[in-house]
């Protein structure tokens, strides 16, 4: 799966882009105080999901998913500030909050799946079985040659 195919990331990007479009229309003081914080926290949701996707270890992935969850709460805080300071109307804030709720539910599901993957990966060992070859892949002559190499190498 490619990172661009992650639906949760697409939702986060759409949300942060919509917030940006609103914030750039605000007056300088509002942009400088509430706007920058709201834009950063909104962008941080998707940025941390993307960073989690790029991490190899489950612990690292989970850490960045938790950061993303924190950014969802921070974005909610700044949305409430924007509404209370009459920078956004309540209808728009409710729409953003509904998208944040959708994101939070998907993020919680992703965290849950990642935890399960982490749990199931502990103690996994490859079953030691003898590798066999089908006659379709190697001729008797090839197998004799390979066996001869193994005997000479050992």
């Amino acid at each position: 799966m490619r990172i661009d195919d992650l639906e949760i990331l697409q939702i986060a990007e759409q949300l942060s882009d919509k917030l940006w479009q609103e914030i750039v229309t605000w007056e300088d003081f509002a942009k400088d105080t509430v706007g920058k914080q709201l834009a950063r926290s909104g962008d941080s949701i998707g940025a941390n999901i993307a960073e989690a996707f790029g991490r190899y270890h489950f612990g690292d992935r989970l850490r960045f998913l938790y950061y993303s969850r924190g950014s969802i709460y921070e974005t909610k805080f700044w949305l409430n500030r924007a509404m209370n300071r009459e920078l956004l109307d309540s209808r728009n804030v409710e729409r953003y909050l509904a998208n944040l709720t959708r994101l939070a539910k998907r993020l919680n599901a992703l965290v849950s799946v990642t935890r399960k993957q982490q749990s199931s990966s502990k103690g996994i060992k490859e079953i030691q079985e003898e590798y066999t070859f089908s006659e379709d892949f190697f001729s008797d002559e090839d197998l004799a040659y390979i066996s001869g190499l193994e005997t000479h190498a050992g």
Side-chain angles (χ1 to χ4, degrees):
M1 175 180 279
R2 295 173 341 132
I3 191 167
D4 295 332
D5 296 332
L6 288 175
E7 186 178 358
I8 190 171
L9 188 57
Q10 293 169 0
I11 295 168
E13 288 174 336
Q14 290 168 2
L15 175 74
S16 67
D17 290 344
K18 293 275 187 208
L19 285 170
W20 177 269
Q21 290 169 358
E22 294 234 28
I23 293 165
V24 296
T25 66
W26 294 356
E27 294 178 20
D28 288 342
F29 181 74
K31 268 194 267 190
D32 195 42
T33 54
V34 177
K36 286 180 180 178
Q37 295 289 342
L38 181 55
R40 284 185 184 128
S41 65
D43 286 348
S44 182
I45 297 167
N48 282 303
I49 293 169
E51 186 141 3
F53 187 80
R55 295 297 174 147
Y56 178 75
H57 297 286
F58 292 110
D60 285 342
R61 286 184 200 163
L62 287 169
R63 184 176 318 110
F64 282 95
L65 294 176
Y66 292 143
Y67 292 157
S68 183
R69 184 185 291 166
S71 295
I72 287 173
Y73 283 98
E74 183 181 0
T75 302
K76 181 183 184 305
F77 172 84
W78 287 113
L79 282 169
N80 287 334
R81 301 290 56 77
M83 183 178 65
N84 289 342
R85 295 172 187 174
E86 299 178 357
L87 299 169
L88 290 173
D89 64 40
S90 61
R91 194 175 71 250
N92 281 345
V93 170
E94 286 175 24
R95 191 179 71 240
Y96 288 126
L97 292 177
N99 283 324
L100 283 176
T101 301
R102 220 171 93 203
L103 261 174
K105 288 178 180 179
R106 289 175 190 243
L107 185 60
N108 285 340
L110 185 56
V111 165
S112 179
V113 166
T114 305
R115 277 193 198 142
K116 285 177 186 171
Q117 289 173 334
Q118 181 182 34
S119 295
S120 68
S121 73
K122 291 180 180 176
I124 292 179
K125 297 191 184 342
E126 183 177 354
I127 298 171
Q128 296 297 320
E129 291 186 21
E130 186 177 327
Y131 291 99
T132 58
F133 301 103
S134 165
E135 291 176 26
D136 298 331
F137 294 122
F138 295 102
S139 69
D140 288 338
E141 187 179 296
D142 291 332
L143 290 173
Y145 175 75
I146 292 169
S147 294
L149 288 177
E150 289 175 356
T151 352
H152 288 49

